[in-house]
Amino acid sequence: MRRSKAEAEATRESLLAAAEQLFAEQGIGSTRLSDVASAAGVTRGAIYWHFKNKDELINAIIDRLTLPLDTAMRSQVEDAANGLLTLDAFKEVLLMSYQRMLESPTVEQVTRFAMRYSLCTESQNAREHLDKNRQHNLSLITQIVSYGQQYKLIRDDISAEELACYIRAHIVGIYHQQLSSGDSYFAGLDDIRRSIDLMFVGLQPGK
């Protein structure tokens, strides 16, 4: 029987969730696609219908994590190009990703996965895909900062590229601090918001 689009999507989501759990528990190298299929309650044929190989599955996990922020950042670049950039809106975009992590154990788990494999060599594919995502993210931040400098919202005595690295380093630092010690931010998102506010103080013209 031919499966509906909704059923196929549900199966794909089940496979991604199972893979995220298994990769977190036993690592990428020790996890076979057949293990993922079994954990998701589907046949091996089903997993190969959705993902040609393990690398494709890994990339799908990473993309599912990064898509919401990427979409929001692209929207910020578009707004900035049309003269609609505000730093408050930029802050909210950055905070959105933290809010997702704080509210969803699944997002937290995949964030841990992403941070782990961005630093180790167990999966060259995962590391390369994460690095590609990092470069793309930096490019979007750089574009936003450049527009902010044009509109005199952000200091221009430092290059947009350097400031983008500064912003991303702060973002990743908050992720690392929160994941390594869950009580780092006692008030949750409110404390993270204050940390972001302090970062933006350093971006102001004349600082």
Side-chain angles (χ1 to χ4, degrees), residues 2-204:
R2 187 178 180 85
R3 306 186 69 193
S4 70
K5 183 176 180 180
E7 289 173 328
E9 185 59 29
T11 298
R12 187 177 189 275
E13 289 299 308
S14 295
L15 289 166
L16 288 171
E20 290 165 2
Q21 185 67 38
L22 289 172
F23 289 160
E25 290 176 352
Q26 58 193 41
I28 289 176
S30 299
T31 301
R32 300 170 299 178
L33 288 181
S34 58
D35 297 330
V36 176
S38 178
V42 302
T43 64
R44 288 184 62 184
I47 194 170
Y48 283 108
W49 191 84
H50 287 279
F51 307 103
K52 291 186 296 185
N53 50 47
K54 192 189 292 186
D55 285 347
E56 193 170 284
L57 175 60
I58 291 166
N59 292 347
I61 290 173
I62 295 170
D63 291 342
R64 186 166 73 155
L65 172 68
T66 58
L67 180 60
L69 179 60
D70 181 68
T71 301
M73 293 282 282
R74 285 176 180 273
S75 179
Q76 282 290 294
V77 171
E78 185 177 339
D79 285 348
N82 292 319
L84 302 175
L85 176 66
T86 70
L87 295 188
D88 284 342
F90 187 27
K91 288 180 189 179
E92 290 305 313
V93 166
L94 299 180
L95 284 165
M96 176 193 72
S97 58
Y98 296 118
Q99 185 169 6
R100 288 179 65 231
M101 184 180 71
L102 292 174
E103 294 177 350
S104 170
T106 298
V107 173
E108 178 181 330
Q109 177 176 283
V110 181
T111 303
R112 290 181 183 276
F113 166 89
M115 295 196 73
R116 170 185 174 183
Y117 285 100
S118 67
L119 297 173
C120 74
T121 57
E122 181 182 343
S123 171
Q124 186 65 25
N125 171 74
R127 187 168 183 174
E128 289 176 355
H129 199 70
L130 286 163
D131 186 61
K132 181 180 178 181
N133 175 266
R134 179 180 64 84
Q135 294 293 343
H136 175 66
N137 183 255
L138 268 174
S139 174
L140 292 175
I141 295 174
T142 300
Q143 292 178 65
I144 294 169
V145 170
S146 181
Y147 279 118
Q149 291 174 326
Q150 291 178 40
Y151 303 145
K152 308 301 181 183
L153 299 174
I154 294 176
R155 60 191 301 172
D156 60 5
D157 59 323
I158 300 175
S159 72
E161 291 78 11
E162 288 180 281
L163 290 177
C165 288
Y166 162 74
I167 291 170
R168 195 175 188 283
H170 193 97
I171 293 169
V172 174
I174 292 177
Y175 274 124
H176 184 273
Q177 187 73 4
Q178 184 66 26
L179 291 172
S180 62
S181 178
D183 59 355
S184 296
Y185 296 97
F186 300 103
L189 196 63
D190 287 340
D191 274 352
I192 294 175
R193 184 184 296 277
R194 279 190 285 273
S195 181
I196 295 291
D197 285 341
L198 285 172
M199 176 188 71
F200 272 80
V201 169
L203 297 175
Q204 294 174 6

